[in-house]
């Protein structure tokens, strides 16, 4: 195979959606789309995109023009290469929707399921009003934002205020306290483009770190205040906040809903929304309500389930009038009034209930749960709650790997690592994402899997691929994963995450020469960087001196001089000061563009795994800037030659692509 220089983009998620072959091919197409002025605009794209897969299979050039016109109001907008890739992904999702679910596209099958894709252009005014109310309630006293609040839901003030990134960063902290060190947020009335971009980068990387899906949304989208994208992101952030109580650690009484260990395991594997539905039906049975609630839309439209639920949870506020009335709107109004007596914030109107607004009904039920869940746990079931909760260190690692897997854009969403990996499927998806063509999909079985031996087969293939990638898996078999061995699962996922990071560095640093990057290379690079401007050095990724955070602040300052405000840095002489530095490090790293999932405690305790990933992420970002500079300086004719060669190489990848595209048809044979 020929040797090529890599093509790289700032956004790690965007980079992960394509192989190098695809990026080089698309880079060539981007160059070929340049108009007489030497730039690329959206209106220049139809002739180029119409010839590319998957568009040439389902759409004519006129169809591409229509899709672009529907998606973008300014067709004369100039596009850089990253923006071109996002347009490509957007159109790919629309083409996928046009084809239906019969075919899965190779790079972005998870794209179309995101609530923030540009397939949604109309916005719900009632949802906007609800989220504006949420922001006014929770951020009304914020020292910086109170000068702009309260927002008027009848205007576009929400989208205008979000353009500088401060609002979204603050909202993330309301959802998951301490996610962002607010000292890292650029806060002043007028921000320059660089400062706004830093805030948006910090926002998107932090949103990923709390579980938001941010596919097909970039910093420019936020800076432009694109309503459908902003509302989709805000919706996810608010949902994470409201569902945070639907958790065994915060609400151990949830164990009251299970009868044995098997049910306890099933509860652990459910998404918070599913747990909320399970809770709702658990309570409704007490009232004699016969119907099962399966969604937050049509099943709640008539208001009967709400009426029965509130009568069970708050009989002191109950009234027969709610069920006696025949008018759904009147019943919905009575339900809202009854909920407000429990101090539930108003996320829905009667119209939202009657029309079945999924997001707002979910928010409403979550509020009821938070204020009055009606659960009590006896001694016989308290053991389930204890068994189902991890110690702090294990819980942190589970969270880290869960957020990382979900950020990769695989089809399966992970709600609980320990339960969701046991059938092997999501691990196969991750392996296929990181090592294209490594999975033999004909030998894999897609969930739901009833036969236990099929799960073992999936996990055996996971172990086989791991060994081929030189993972340390001595005396490990697929059955160990199926049984839920947490120690083994952590070890495997750690090696997967490390492999992913080292592959990024390998492709970037050596420009396809094939040189492996080692842990020692990363350590040496970091020490050399810091040595140029700082005084500290680290002996290893286990060096306990790293707990004060000074080394990483010097490293961040070395790769981007202006990013660290040394006036905010402590000497790290006590635990409180060390934690201040640790939270600042994570936010500053995300601010420049590092996609990381560790917590301050990982730095304080010097967790060598997370320390390595943090260092490697900073290294990747630094070398990426250098690679981009070199790429910009390259002559156009050299770019074209590489692109033509890449197109030839792309043909050699067709067999791998076709096998993956057929996996849905073959996975259960």
């Amino acid at each position: 195979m020929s040797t090529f220089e890599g093509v790289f983009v700032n956004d790690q998620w965007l980079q992960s959606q394509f192989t190098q072959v695809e990026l080089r091919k698309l880079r060539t197409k981007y160059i070929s789309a340049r108009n007489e002025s030497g730039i690329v605009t959206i209106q220049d794209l139809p002739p180029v995109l119409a010839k590319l897969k998957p568009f040439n299979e389902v759409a004519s050039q006129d169809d591409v023009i229509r899709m672009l016109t529907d998606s973008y109001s300014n067709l004369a907008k100039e596009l850089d290469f990253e923006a071109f890739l996002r347009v490509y992904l957007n159109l790919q999702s629309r083409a996928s929707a046009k084809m239906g679910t019969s075919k899965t596209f190779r790079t972005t099958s998870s794209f179309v399921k995101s609530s923030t894709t540009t397939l949604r252009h109309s916005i719900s005014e009632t949802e906007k009003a609800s989220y504006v109310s949420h922001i006014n309630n929770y951020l009304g006293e914020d020292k910086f934002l109170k000068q702009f609040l309260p927002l008027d839901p009848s205007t576009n003030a929400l989208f205008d205020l979000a353009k500088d990134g401060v609002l979204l960063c603050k909202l993330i902290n309301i959802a998951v306290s301490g996610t962002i060190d607010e000292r890292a947020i650029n806060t002043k009335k007028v921000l320059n483009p660089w400062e706004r971009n830093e805030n948006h980068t910090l926002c998107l990387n932090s949103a990923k770190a709390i579980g938001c899906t941010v596919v097909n949304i970039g910093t420019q989208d936020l800076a432009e205040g694109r309503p459908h994208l902003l509302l989709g992101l805000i919706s996810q952030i608010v949902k994470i906040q409201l569902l945070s109580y639907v958790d065994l650690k915060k609400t151990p009484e949830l164990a009251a809903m299970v009868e044995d260990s098997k049910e306890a395991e099933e509860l652990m594997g459910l998404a918070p929304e599913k747990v909320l539905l399970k809770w709702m039906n658990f309570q409704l049975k007490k009232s004699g309500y016969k119907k099962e609630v399966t969604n937050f839309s049509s099943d709640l439209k008539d208001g009967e389930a709400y009426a029965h639920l509130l009568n069970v949870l708050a009989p002191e506020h109950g009234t027969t009038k709610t069920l006696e009335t025949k008018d759904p709107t009147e019943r919905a109004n009575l339900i809202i009034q009854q909920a407000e007596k429990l101090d539930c914030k108003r996320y829905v109107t009667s119209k939202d209930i009657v029309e079945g607004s999924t997001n707002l009904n979910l928010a409403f039920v979550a509020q009821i749960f938070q204020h009055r869940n009606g659960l009590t746990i006896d001694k016989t079931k308290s053991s389930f709650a204890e068994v189902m909760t991890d110690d702090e260190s294990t819980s942190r690692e589970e969270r880290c790997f869960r957020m990382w897997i979900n950020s990769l854009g695989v089809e399966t969403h992970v709600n609980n690592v320990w339960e969701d990996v046991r059938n092997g499927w999501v691990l196969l998806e991750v392996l296929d994402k990181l090592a294209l063509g490594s999975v033999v999909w004909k030998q894999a079985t897609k969930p739901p899997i009833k036969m236990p031996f099929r799960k073992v087969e999936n996990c055996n293939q996971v172990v086989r691929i791991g060994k081929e990638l030189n993972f340390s898996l001595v005396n490990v078999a697929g059955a160990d994963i199926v049984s839920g061995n947490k120690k083994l699962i952590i070890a495997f996922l750690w090696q997967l995450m490390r492999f992913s990071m080292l592959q990024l560095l390998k492709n970037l640093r050596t420009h396809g020469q094939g040189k492996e990057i080692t842990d020692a290379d990363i350590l040496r690079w970091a020490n050399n960087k810091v040595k140029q401007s700082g005084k500290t050095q680290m002996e290893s990724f286990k060096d306990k001196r790293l707990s004060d955070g000074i080394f990483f602040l010097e490293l961040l300052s070395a790769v981007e001089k202006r990013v660290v405000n040394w006036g905010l840095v402590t000497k790290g002489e006590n635990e409180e000061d060390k934690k201040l530095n640790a939270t600042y490090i994570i936010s500053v790293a995300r601010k420049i563009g590092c996609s990381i999932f560790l917590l301050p405690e990982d730095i304080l305790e010097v967790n060598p795994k997370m320390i390595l990933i943090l260092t490697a992420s900073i290294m990747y970002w630094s070398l990426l800037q250098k690679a981009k500079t070199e790429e910009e300086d390259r002559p156009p004719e050299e770019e074209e030659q590489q692109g033509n060669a890449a197109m030839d190489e792309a043909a050699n990848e067709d067999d791998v692509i076709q096998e993956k595209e057929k996996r849905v048809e073959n996975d259960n044979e």
Side-chain angles (χ1 to χ4, degrees), residues 453-556:
F453 76 93
R454 294 293 186 190
K455 298 179 183 180
V456 175
E457 286 179 345
N458 281 356
C459 292
N460 281 339
Q461 185 172 184
V462 167
V463 173
R464 175 186 62 77
I465 297 169
K467 290 178 179 178
E468 290 173 357
L469 297 176
N470 295 319
F471 290 3
S472 177
L473 297 170
V474 180
N475 297 324
V476 174
D480 297 313
I481 298 176
V482 176
S483 67
N485 185 319
K486 291 183 180 179
K487 185 177 179 180
L488 184 149
I489 290 170
I490 286 175
F492 187 86
L493 289 174
W494 153 241
Q495 292 182 84
L496 259 183
M497 180 183 276
R498 177 177 174 274
F499 172 80
S500 172
M501 195 71 247
L502 295 183
Q503 286 299 108
L504 283 172
L505 287 169
K506 172 186 172 182
N507 292 337
L508 178 62
R509 189 179 179 190
T510 62
H511 294 183
Q513 298 291 339
K515 179 188 173 185
E516 298 295 335
I517 301 296
T518 65
D519 295 0
D521 291 328
I522 298 170
L523 180 69
R524 190 181 307 111
W525 174 86
N527 278 328
N528 287 339
K529 273 290 179 185
V530 172
K531 192 175 182 180
Q532 297 170 16
S533 56
K535 298 178 181 178
T536 58
Q537 296 280 279
M538 65 170 164
E539 292 181 359
S540 71
F541 298 113
K542 299 178 181 179
D543 191 336
K544 292 299 180 183
R545 294 175 299 173
L546 296 173
S547 65
D548 65 13
I550 301 299
F551 178 85
F552 289 109
L553 289 164
E554 290 185 342
L555 178 60
L556 287 162

Side-chain angles (χ1 to χ4, degrees), residues 93-153:
S93 72
R94 293 175 69 86
S96 178
K98 182 174 180 178
M99 290 181 70
T101 57
S102 62
K103 183 173 181 178
T104 302
F105 292 127
R106 181 177 160 277
T107 56
T108 54
S109 54
S110 64
F111 176 172
V112 295
K113 72 183 180 184
S114 169
S115 61
T116 56
T117 96
T118 51
L119 290 177
R120 176 189 179 188
H121 295 291
S122 61
I123 65 171
S124 166
E125 289 297 327
T126 56
E127 278 194 38
K128 184 180 81 169
S130 181
Y131 300 142
V132 165
S133 176
H134 179 92
I135 290 166
N136 289 338
N137 284 330
Y138 283 96
L139 291 170
E141 298 303 315
D142 181 84
K143 290 181 180 179
F144 177 77
L145 290 176
K146 65 182 181 182
Q147 61 186 311
F148 306 107
L149 302 178
L151 296 171
D152 182 350

Side-chain angles (χ1 to χ4, degrees), residues 45-52 54-69 91 94-95 98-99:
L45 299 182
V48 174
L49 293 178
K51 297 177 182 177
L52 287 172
F55 315 121
N56 61 1
E57 298 175 356
V58 296
S60 65
Q61 185 169 320
D62 288 340
D63 291 328
V64 172
I65 292 172
R66 277 192 291 272
M67 286 191 284
L68 288 171
T69 304
L91 261 66
R94 293 175 69 86
K98 182 174 180 178
M99 290 181 70

Side-chain angles (χ1 to χ4, degrees), residues 203-321:
C203 164
L204 291 176
N205 282 319
S206 300
K208 282 192 286 186
I210 67 169
C212 292
T213 303
V214 296
V215 295
N216 197 40
I217 182 169
T219 56
Q220 189 61 31
D221 297 313
L222 300 182
E224 292 175 0
R226 299 183 69 178
H228 58 288
L229 293 174
L230 279 169
L231 207 61
L233 180 56
I234 290 170
S235 171
Q236 291 187 77
I237 296 170
V238 171
K239 178 180 169 184
I240 287 168
Q241 176 187 341
L242 296 178
L243 291 177
S244 64
Y245 288 89
V246 189
D247 175 83
L248 272 167
K249 281 196 170 182
K250 291 186 177 180
T251 312
E253 295 85 0
L254 283 167
M257 299 192 302
V258 302
E259 294 297 332
D260 52 40
S261 58
K262 183 178 180 181
E263 287 188 9
E265 289 179 357
E266 290 174 354
L267 184 67
M268 282 182 65
L270 292 178
E273 305 94 301
K274 297 293 185 183
V275 176
L276 206 56
L277 285 173
K278 185 178 179 71
W279 165 79
M280 196 173 186
N281 287 308
F282 180 80
Q283 298 295 356
L284 287 172
K285 281 184 180 179
K286 296 178 183 178
S287 71
Y289 187 68
K290 302 300 183 183
K291 300 176 185 177
E292 181 183 6
V293 177
T294 61
N295 57 65
F296 293 101
S297 182
S298 58
D299 288 357
L300 300 177
K301 284 183 176 182
D302 61 13
E304 290 186 7
Y306 274 133
H308 283 281
L309 178 67
L310 289 169
N311 284 342
V312 168
L313 297 177
E316 70 274 22
H317 301 306
T319 170
T320 57
K321 186 179 179 181

Side-chain angles (χ1 to χ4, degrees), residues 2 15 133 144 230 332 354 409 452 520 545 556 564 626 640 660:
S2 303
Q15 180 92 33
S133 176
F144 177 77
L230 279 169
V354 172
R545 294 175 299 173
L556 287 162
V564 175
K626 182 179 179 182
E640 190 169 352
K660 185 174 179 183

